[in-house]
Amino acid sequence: MKRVFANIGFSVAVALVVLNFMNVKAALAALVASGVAFIVSVAVPKIRSGKAISLCLLGVCFACALFASFYYGTYLPQTKLFGKTASVRAYIVDLPQKTSSGKYLYTVKTQSISGSDVPQNIKFEMYSESPVYAEAYDVLDMRVSFDSVADNAYDSMGRFDDNIFVRGYLSDCAKTGEVVKSANKPVVELRAKLKKRFNSVIKNDEGGLAFAVLTGDKSLLGNEAYTAFRLCGATHLMAVRVFICLSFSACFIRCSKSYLCRKCRGFRFAQSVFCFISCFRAFQNL
């Protein structure tokens, strides 16, 4: 049984990696080819007796079907926004970042987008020449010009993994007075306070670097310092440090939960509370 899941899991993983470099037509062709090959492998007794070939072909077929369904169900509807300008009602879900070109970058979730037959509830990256004076989860009426993030998953640099397929350029913005209730809002507010504290106490690029190492947010780093890190190929060190901190934190939370659950054995309510906290922490890190 272990070999069955190992063959299927490995073939699915390899197929999805390869599909990241391909377009949907190639994925559909691979789906048909792997499907036919799977049927042949099942029909021919000599091949069927090996099992591994049939299982690997089944895994490839499943990966291609998953890729195609994701393309047609999630990505393709958002392509209708490419090259269009629309009125958008949306809210910011994260702290702003400043790009190397001097623009402000926001992660935004929409509530509605003007236009016929266009997706409504999506997440996208929004660029602005000037800062947007609004708190996270404040609902805004905006005028946005849309464009594609990348042609494939590899070029998206992880954005496709976050379900971000569209980027927008802000031309006008106004507050509506509404606020979206979210469990993540206190987390964003805490990060904003921490960012302000670092900027006021340590200041300059030293504070920006400390904040970047702690949270992965490089917006406090000056353009000169960030360029120096990038030219040296050392920007990944910030991400590595963040990963290590998060790993130790997750390990500590898991060990504490396991210890307390053993101490509270028999008290199902306490165990349920610890389970809920762990799930909430995992949700906050999405």
Side-chain angles (χ1 to χ4, degrees), residues 220-250:
L220 291 181
L221 276 174
N223 289 335
E224 185 177 350
Y226 180 75
T227 302
F229 268 91
R230 188 176 60 184
L231 292 175
C232 293
T235 53
H236 67 281
L237 294 176
M238 303 174 193
V240 171
R241 295 290 183 86
V242 172
F243 175 76
I244 291 173
C245 291
L246 290 177
S247 298
F248 276 116
S249 300

Side-chain angles (χ1 to χ4, degrees), residues 91-95 106-109 123 136-137 184 188 191:
Y91 53 93
I92 300 167
V93 297
D94 205 349
L95 296 180
Y106 298 87
T107 303
V108 177
K109 282 188 177 181
K123 183 167 69 170
Y137 295 94
N184 197 46
V188 177
R191 287 179 57 203

Side-chain angles (χ1 to χ4, degrees), residues 98-104 127 129 223 230:
K98 201 169 183 180
T99 65
S100 57
S101 61
K103 293 182 179 180
Y104 293 87
Y127 293 85
E129 296 290 344
N223 289 335
R230 188 176 60 184

Side-chain angles (χ1 to χ4, degrees), residues 27-203:
L28 291 175
L31 174 61
V32 174
S34 60
V36 172
F38 172 72
I39 294 173
V40 172
S41 68
V42 173
V44 178
K46 289 184 179 180
I47 302 177
R48 185 174 64 239
S49 60
K51 293 184 181 179
I53 296 176
S54 300
L55 291 173
C56 289
L57 289 171
L58 178 62
V60 173
C61 188
F62 174 75
C64 293
L66 187 66
F67 182 89
S69 63
F70 176 79
Y71 176 87
Y72 286 106
T74 305
Y75 175 78
L76 190 61
Q78 296 190 31
T79 60
K80 297 175 181 178
L81 293 170
F82 295 172
K84 293 185 178 180
T85 301
S87 298
V88 179
R89 174 161 288 194
Y91 53 93
I92 300 167
V93 297
D94 205 349
L95 296 180
Q97 297 188 29
K98 201 169 183 180
T99 65
S100 57
S101 61
K103 293 182 179 180
Y104 293 87
L105 174 61
Y106 298 87
T107 303
V108 177
K109 282 188 177 181
T110 65
Q111 291 183 330
S112 63
I113 302 175
S114 64
S116 59
D117 199 26
V118 295
Q120 298 299 314
N121 300 310
I122 65 171
K123 183 167 69 170
F124 69 96
E125 287 186 345
M126 185 180 70
Y127 293 85
S128 175
E129 296 290 344
S130 58
V132 177
Y133 296 102
E135 300 293 332
Y137 295 94
D138 287 350
V139 180
L140 307 169
D141 284 331
M142 302 179 288
R143 191 73 177 170
V144 180
S145 300
F146 292 101
D147 193 8
S148 173
V149 167
D151 294 329
N152 54 58
Y154 178 77
D155 293 334
S156 73
M157 303 295 290
R159 294 181 182 88
F160 279 17
D161 187 52
D162 293 330
N163 288 328
I164 297 177
F165 311 103
V166 180
R167 62 185 174 192
Y169 300 91
L170 181 67
S171 58
D172 191 21
C173 178
K175 286 185 178 182
T176 64
E178 301 177 18
V179 179
V180 175
K181 294 181 180 180
S182 172
N184 197 46
K185 183 176 174 62
V187 178
V188 177
E189 291 176 346
L190 179 61
R191 287 179 57 203
K193 291 178 181 178
L194 189 63
K195 182 176 182 178
K196 186 177 180 180
R197 185 67 173 172
F198 268 91
N199 197 28
S200 61
V201 175
I202 306 179
K203 298 180 180 180

